[in-house]
Amino acid sequence: MSDCLFCKIIAGDIQSKKLYEDDEMFAFFDINPMAPVHFLVIPKKHINNLMELESDDTGLLGRMFFKAKELAAQQGCGKNGGRFVINAKSDGGQTVDHLHVHFLGGRIFDWPAG
């Protein structure tokens, strides 16, 4: 999508601090980190949000979570873990209409989240 922020990041039109890339996904550090370790994993296929995920995309979503787990461990969060988050649509707090998984780690999080 030509007007999608994350599609522009994938295309290299907008700079990011890239963490990982393969044929299906792209990972980069959040520009406004909410934890010592905060990165996003996004599919290269444009999917607006989790509520629009199709059955053919479920394998991709699983691979995104697995890659997020591997990247979290590489960032030093393997032992203590962290928080994996998908915000969906406006009520879920999604601000960019492109499916993405946040990983936040390096500190303790409260529950319930604000």
Side-chain angles (χ1 to χ4, degrees):
M1 300 203 77
S2 61
D3 61 339
C4 172
L5 174 68
F6 288 171
C7 288
K8 290 178 182 179
I9 288 173
I10 291 166
D13 297 336
I14 296 176
Q15 287 187 330
S16 67
K17 188 174 175 187
K18 181 168 62 170
L19 183 59
Y20 176 81
E21 181 177 14
D22 66 20
D23 292 341
E24 291 186 301
M25 65 189 88
F26 190 95
F28 58 99
F29 289 98
D30 196 292
I31 195 167
N32 184 27
M34 305 305 282
V37 177
H38 185 177
F39 63 83
L40 287 75
V41 179
I42 61 176
K44 288 188 171 180
K45 175 183 178 181
H46 183 89
I47 302 168
N48 281 333
N49 56 65
L50 187 63
M51 304 306 289
E52 296 180 21
L53 192 74
E54 297 187 6
S55 62
D56 290 348
D57 299 320
T58 58
L60 171 61
L61 187 62
R63 289 187 295 279
M64 288 170 56
F65 271 106
F66 189 80
K67 181 51 67 178
K69 179 218 46 132
E70 289 182 331
L71 295 172
Q74 290 174 9
Q75 295 299 309
C77 297
K79 179 180 177 190
N80 293 330
R83 183 167 287 175
F84 297 82
V85 177
I86 295 180
N87 299 321
K89 295 190 167 192
S90 59
D91 281 1
Q94 184 177 1
T95 58
V96 177
D97 287 331
H98 188 121
L99 176 66
H100 53 286
V101 175
H102 289 264
F103 176 81
L104 300 98
R107 69 175 177 90
I108 296 172
F109 294 90
D110 293 328
W111 190 258

